[in-house]
Amino acid sequence: MKAGSTPSAEAGIGTLGAMGAPLDEIARPARRRQGLISSAAIGSANRGRVLKLLFDLGPTSRAELARHVGVNRATITGIIQPLVDQGILVEGDPLRSSEGGGKPARPLWFSQDAQPICAVLLMHDSVHTALVSLDGAITAERKAEFPREATRVEPIMEAVAACLAGTLSEAPRAPRAIGVAAGGMIDTDRGAIVTVNLAPMLDGFPLGPELTRRFGLPTCVDHHPRALLVGDRWFGVGRGRRRFAVVYTGDVLGGALFLDDHLYRGPAGAGGELGHTFVQVDGLPCRCGRRGCWETIATLRWLRREAAARGLPAAIDSRRLVALAAEGAPGAAELLDRYARNVAVGIANLQQTMAPNFIVLHGDVAGGGPVMIEAIAAHVRALVPWRPGGDIELVAGDIADAAALRGAAGLVLSDLLHFEL
Ligand SMILES: [Zn+2]
C-alpha cells in the first residue's frame, strides 16, 4: 500500500478507491443510469463486462474478448493492459492454433500471484476466515465459535480478530482488502450491522470501520446471501446466468437476487430480507417482533419443534429428515413434505414477483440433497401457474462455506476494480 493511502476510520466501501494500486486512476462507474455518460464511465462499464466475461468463459484471448464485448482490439488492449500491469491478469502460454495465422493468441486469466482478498463469513454463532485468490482458490482457513455466554460485542470481536489475524499471517502477499459476508441485516453504505436477531449484541456494530481500524485494510461488508449469490455467479452454478436467485435456510432464512445481469442490493443493502416477507397473516411470532414471516415456518426452529411433536429426534436437520423418511420412520415423510412446502411458499412468491426462474438453495435444505430439493421444486411448481418464460429450476448450492467466502471476496473485488456486479 502506498504511503498516504491508509484507510480512514470511516473506511467502508467508499474508501476502497484509496487503495495503493493504480486502480485509483480509473474512474468509478456511474452509479445511476444517465443519458450522457463520460468516456471514463464507458471504459469502466466495458472493464466490468470484460471481467465478467472472463469469469464466464475462463482463460480467453484478447481477440475473443474483443469479439464478445463488441469492441476493437485497441479498445480491448486499453481495458486489459492496466489490469495486466497491476498484476491482476496474466497472459498464459500461447494457444497452439493461432487465429488467421498471425501471432499465436495468449489467453488472459486472473493471476494466482496477485494480492489475495481476505474473506470473512460472520454468522450469529461463528466466524470463518480465509484467503481467496482472484481465481477463487481458498487457503489459510480459520474458524471459531463464539462463546455461548457472550452478551457483549467485545468477546465476539476478539474471536473474529484472532481468526482474521491468523489467516492474514499466512498470506504470501499482503491482501488487498477484507470482504465480509455477514448474517443479519446489514447497512452496506456504512459497513455496519443493523440487527442480528440471534446475536443482538452485534446490533448497530460498525464492523467494517472496526476491521479497517484493526487491520489497516479497506473492508467491504455485505449480506451473507448476497455473497452466496456472487460466489455462485462467479465460481459456481450461477456462472454465465443473467438472472437467478439464492435462498439460504438454516437457523435463519435470507435471499439475494441477480436480475438482468446485476446484483440487486437495494438502498444501503435493504433488498433481500426474504426471511421477513409475510407468508401467514397473524401467523407464528417471529424473532423480528412481527408475525407470520417466512422465517417462522421454513427454518430449523420450526422443523425441530415439529419433529419433537412427532417423536422424531429433536436435533434434526434436512439431511437427517430425508434419511428418516427413507427408513420409513413414522411421521418423517409427512414432515418432510410439509417442510418442503413451507420453503416452497416463499420461493413461489419470489418467482411470481421477480421470475428469477433459477433458484439456488444453500444451507440446511441443500444438505437434504436431491430428495429435499425435488420435494421443494414440486411444491413451487404446484404453487406457481405455468406461463411462457416461467420454467422453474431449483438446484443445490454448496453446503460448506466456499460460495460465501468466494462471494465475499467477489464483492470486495468488484469494488476494488470499480465495476458493478
Ligand atoms: Zn420476521
Side-chain angles (χ1 to χ4, degrees):
M1 196 175 280
K2 277 190 301 201
S5 64
T6 309
S8 74
E10 288 295 311
I13 301 168
T15 56
L16 290 174
M19 289 294 288
L23 292 170
D24 309 1
E25 287 145 35
I26 303 164
R28 289 184 77 83
R31 284 278 173 186
R32 292 184 185 84
R33 288 182 197 282
Q34 296 171 353
L36 293 166
I37 60 173
S38 69
S39 57
I42 291 169
S44 63
N46 279 337
R47 186 174 58 250
R49 288 172 67 196
V50 166
L51 290 168
K52 280 186 192 175
L53 262 174
L54 268 177
F55 277 114
D56 288 347
L57 300 173
T60 306
S61 70
R62 285 168 198 244
E64 215 175 315
L65 283 171
R67 200 161 47 237
H68 278 280
V69 180
V71 297
N72 62 31
R73 286 289 293 272
T75 304
I76 209 77
T77 296
I79 295 167
I80 294 294
Q81 203 52 47
L83 297 168
V84 172
D85 293 343
Q86 290 160 40
I88 290 166
L89 299 179
V90 284
E91 287 179 297
D93 294 333
L95 297 169
R96 244 177 269 150
S97 61
S98 64
E99 291 163 34
K103 269 200 306 183
R106 293 168 63 111
L108 288 150
W109 188 234
F110 294 90
S111 168
Q112 290 183 342
D113 300 325
Q115 288 170 277
I117 307 290
C118 188
V120 179
L121 172 59
L122 178 72
M123 300 303 271
H124 71 274
D125 56 355
S126 62
V127 63
H128 188 167
T129 58
L131 298 172
V132 181
S133 70
L134 301 192
D135 61 350
I138 295 173
T139 54
E141 288 183 75
R142 304 259 173 151
K143 289 183 189 182
E145 308 263 312
F146 299 143
R148 276 183 176 272
E149 66 281 6
T151 53
R152 296 176 308 118
V153 71
E154 288 80 4
I156 290 181
M157 271 315 293
E158 288 315 312
V160 171
C163 242
L164 250 173
T167 288
L168 288 168
S169 73
E170 292 184 50
R173 297 190 63 193
R176 274 180 190 275
I178 300 170
V180 184
M185 194 184 290
I186 305 303
D187 178 343
T188 54
D189 287 353
R190 292 175 50 239
I193 293 168
V194 180
T195 57
V196 184
N197 290 328
L198 291 173
M201 70 292 269
L202 287 168
D203 290 1
F205 188 70
L207 180 65
E210 175 62 18
L211 293 180
T212 292
R213 187 186 67 74
R214 284 186 185 234
F215 296 102
L217 289 169
T219 303
C220 166
V221 182
D222 212 323
H223 194 205
H224 165 232
R226 270 195 290 271
L228 288 172
L229 186 140
V230 172
D232 285 340
R233 176 65 182 79
W234 284 18
F235 305 106
V237 291
R239 181 173 272 178
R241 292 193 174 269
R242 296 199 66 233
R243 76 185 64 75
F244 70 102
V246 155
V247 173
Y248 172 89
T249 76
D251 291 316
V252 293
L253 193 158
L257 282 162
F258 193 74
L259 296 172
D260 296 338
D261 226 10
H262 283 281
L263 171 70
Y264 184 72
R265 191 180 259 119
E273 297 292 345
L274 296 181
H276 303 286
T277 54
F278 300 112
V279 293
Q280 283 182 320
V281 173
D282 302 326
L284 297 165
C286 182
R287 279 177 292 226
C288 74
R290 284 160 285 255
R291 281 181 172 272
C293 297
W294 187 16
E295 192 170 296
T296 63
I297 60 164
T299 54
L300 287 169
R301 192 160 74 141
W302 182 93
L303 182 65
R304 289 174 175 163
R305 195 179 57 228
E306 294 292 320
R310 287 164 175 76
L312 293 163
I316 204 165
D317 57 15
S318 285
R319 188 184 59 78
R320 192 119 187 255
L321 179 60
V322 167
L324 287 167
E327 290 164 16
E334 178 259 340
L335 180 58
L336 194 159
D337 186 62
R338 274 194 70 195
Y339 192 49
R341 192 184 62 162
N342 288 355
V343 175
V345 165
I347 294 173
N349 288 342
L350 187 61
Q351 175 64 26
Q352 295 280 48
T353 311
M354 304 306 294
N357 290 41
F358 188 81
I359 294 118
V360 186
L361 295 166
H362 282 271
D364 171 64
V365 288
V371 171
M372 179 56 91
I373 301 295
E374 195 36 56
I376 297 167
H379 278 294
V380 172
R381 292 189 188 108
L383 290 164
V384 180
W386 188 86
R387 50 151 297 146
D391 289 322
I392 303 161
E393 191 179 352
L394 271 69
V395 299
D398 75 339
I399 306 162
D401 294 339
L405 292 169
R406 288 181 178 133
L411 283 162
V412 78
L413 189 64
S414 73
D415 263 307
L416 289 169
L417 298 176
H418 304 317
F419 74 93
E420 292 195 68
L421 288 164

